[in-house]
């Protein structure tokens, strides 16, 4: 049963004539008549007595007309409500991993709201597996995560690649060593994010490529906590370039790693079948514009 069939049925009932109903609905009379026949076939009852040029509701038609009008009224009310609601299509929910949310996503959200004040943006910080799940389930419009994302149900747009830097305290011997390689980290104590963190997995993979398992002394849920352990000289870490801020200079030294230095790729993920609202489109435009310098640096 389709909405236009209900409209045709009500029009015939109100005009009492198939031709006038067709004129009101702006369709041909044969087309309207066929749709009424299809509706009657689906319901299993005749809705009209065909009395020459006159159409009169049967008992079944009398029973059905009230419900048909209520359905059409609800559809029309919902249509008006959607058209009149100023915030619809402007409300979006975005996510980002903990190493991206405070250092990039918050700035992008600020820029988007400055350019488009009527946007309503909600944000969620979480690890990659949880964000991928939320995008798939429709809880998030989009998210910024590190690669790889292997779920084929997700649409992935690579944004930029950034280096991962060694982070040590200013008093650590590696802070002044001319060059630092992965092998130099073999006997160091690491401060890392939790097991769900893609960054922690990346670091463990880098250490594995140099034939050692990192000694993890501190598992943290926030980059700020990792930095605190590093600044106190209690451990070292490998952090994304994005997480390096001016306030770190008095406490932490960042060093490039020689040889096959680790990097990570940041991507935008979305559900390919999710309707992209106007608000989501405006946010993505701001996002792409904001990361252009990072994309250029990584090229």
């Amino acid at each position: 049963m389709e909405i236009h069939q209900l409209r045709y049925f009500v029009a015939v009932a109100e005009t009492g004539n198939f031709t006038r109903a067709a004129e009101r609905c702006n369709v041909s009379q044969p087309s309207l008549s066929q749709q009424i026949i299809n509706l009657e076939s689906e319901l299993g009852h005749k809705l009209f007595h065909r009395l020459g040029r006159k159409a009169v509701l049967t008992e079944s038609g009398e029973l059905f007309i009230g419900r048909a009008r209520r359905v059409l009224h609800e559809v029309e009310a919902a249509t008006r409500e959607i058209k009149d609601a100023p915030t619809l299509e402007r409300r979006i929910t975005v996510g980002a991993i903990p190493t991206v949310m405070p250092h990039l996503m918050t700035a992008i959200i600020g820029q988007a709201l400055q350019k488009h004040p009527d946007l309503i943006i909600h944000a969620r910080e979480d690890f990659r597996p949880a964000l991928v799940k939320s995008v798939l389930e429709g809880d998030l419009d989009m998210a910024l995560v590190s690669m790889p994302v292997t779920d084929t149900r997700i649409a992935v747009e690579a944004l930029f690649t950034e280096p991962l830097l060694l982070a040590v305290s200013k008093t650590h011997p590696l802070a002044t060593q001319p060059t630092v390689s992965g092998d130099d980290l073999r006997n160091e104590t690491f401060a890392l994010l939790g097991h769900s963190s893609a960054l922690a997995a990346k670091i463990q993979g880098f250490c594995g490529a140099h034939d050692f398992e990192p000694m993890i002394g501190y598992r943290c849920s926030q980059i700020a906590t990792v930095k605190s352990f590093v600044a106190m000289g209690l451990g070292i870490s490998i952090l994304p370039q994005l997480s390096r801020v001016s306030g770190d200079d008095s406490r932490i030294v960042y060093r490039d790693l020689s040889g096959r230095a680790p990097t990570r790729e940041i991507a935008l993920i979305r559900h390919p079948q999710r309707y992209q609202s106007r608000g989501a489109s405006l946010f993505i435009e701001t996002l792409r514009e904001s990361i252009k310098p990072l994309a250029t640096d990584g090229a």
Side-chain angles (χ1 to χ4, degrees), residues 26-80:
N26 199 29
V27 294
S28 67
Q29 190 271 327
S31 177
L32 180 140
S33 296
Q34 185 60 54
Q35 289 301 318
I36 296 296
I37 292 171
N38 292 345
L39 180 60
E40 290 175 326
S41 176
E42 183 174 348
L43 292 173
H45 291 275
K46 289 291 184 181
L47 297 174
F48 293 102
H49 298 293
R50 276 79 166 171
L51 306 176
R53 294 182 179 181
K54 190 174 182 180
V56 178
L57 286 170
T58 63
E59 186 176 355
S60 296
E62 292 283 1
L63 180 66
F64 190 59
I65 188 68
R67 293 185 181 274
R69 284 178 172 142
R70 284 197 293 274
V71 169
L72 292 176
H73 174 76
E74 287 297 321
V75 170
E76 290 166 4
T79 301
R80 287 195 301 272

Side-chain angles (χ1 to χ4, degrees), residues 271-287:
H271 197 302
Q273 295 176 334
R274 182 181 176 89
Y275 168 68
Q276 184 170 298
S277 67
R278 177 62 175 163
S281 298
L282 292 173
F283 184 83
I284 290 172
E285 287 176 10
T286 302
L287 166 67

Side-chain angles (χ1 to χ4, degrees), residues 256-292:
D256 291 324
L257 289 161
S258 62
R260 295 181 61 185
T263 61
R264 71 168 182 175
E265 186 175 25
I266 300 299
L268 172 69
I269 61 171
R270 290 178 285 165
H271 197 302
Q273 295 176 334
R274 182 181 176 89
Y275 168 68
Q276 184 170 298
S277 67
R278 177 62 175 163
S281 298
L282 292 173
F283 184 83
I284 290 172
E285 287 176 10
T286 302
L287 166 67
R288 289 173 178 153
E289 187 66 29
S290 298
I291 59 94
K292 275 184 180 179

Side-chain angles (χ1 to χ4, degrees), residues 121-199:
I121 303 174
H122 297 282
R124 174 182 161 191
E125 181 181 274
D126 213 329
F127 291 117
R128 182 176 64 195
L131 294 176
V132 169
K133 183 174 183 290
S134 293
V135 168
L136 281 173
E137 292 178 350
D139 295 329
L140 292 174
D141 289 289
M142 67 194 79
L144 290 184
V145 301
S146 59
M147 294 292 285
V149 175
T150 57
D151 196 312
T152 56
R153 295 171 295 173
I154 289 284
V156 179
E157 178 184 343
L159 297 176
F160 62 91
T161 299
E162 66 168 338
L164 302 181
L165 306 174
L166 174 67
V168 299
S169 70
K170 295 182 78 72
T171 59
H172 196 285
L174 293 177
T176 56
Q177 189 169 302
T179 60
V180 181
S181 69
D183 292 329
D184 294 324
L185 313 182
R186 188 179 301 273
N187 298 316
E188 298 291 337
T189 299
F190 281 78
L192 300 181
L193 293 177
H195 293 285
S196 297
S197 166
L199 176 62

